[in-house]
Amino acid sequence: MILIGICPHKSSHTAVAVDAAGHQVAQRRFVVNAGTFRQLMRWCEQRPDRRFAVEGAGGLGRSLARQLAAAGENVVDVPSTLSARPGCWPPEEAG
């Protein structure tokens, strides 16, 4: 199982793929535009056994979380208070 954590922001989303042992296996930053969801799904194709953890799925990440769920993906919400720790996301995306 690969967990893909997503830190959504107004202008970009950062996705980090982590394996079952907790090791980061990939990371990518997506500029938010009309093709963002398609680009994210293409990036994830090589990880078919995946689950998504979207920061603020009830807030800023709501649209992305809904698109993922509509596409049949397994999505969980990560409260921003849990992801705002150093090391959870790249420093430029933290907070």
Side-chain angles (χ1 to χ4, degrees), residues 46-94:
Q46 59 188 325
R47 299 166 188 88
D49 187 24
R50 62 184 176 248
R51 173 178 289 171
F52 288 89
V54 179
E55 178 187 359
L60 188 58
R62 179 182 307 207
S63 176
L64 179 59
R66 285 183 176 175
Q67 287 179 299
L68 289 165
E73 299 290 343
N74 187 332
V75 184
V76 296
D77 177 37
V78 178
S80 58
T81 55
L82 294 179
S83 64
R85 299 172 300 187
C88 287
W89 303 103
E92 68 274 10
E93 295 289 326

Side-chain angles (χ1 to χ4, degrees), residues 19-51:
D19 66 16
H23 299 111
Q24 181 176 320
V25 296
Q27 176 179 320
R28 182 161 173 202
R29 187 175 190 180
F30 298 90
V31 173
V32 173
N33 58 40
T36 304
F37 182 73
R38 185 180 65 248
Q39 292 171 17
L40 173 66
M41 296 312 295
R42 193 170 342 160
W43 181 73
C44 294
E45 285 176 351
Q46 59 188 325
R47 299 166 188 88
D49 187 24
R50 62 184 176 248
R51 173 178 289 171

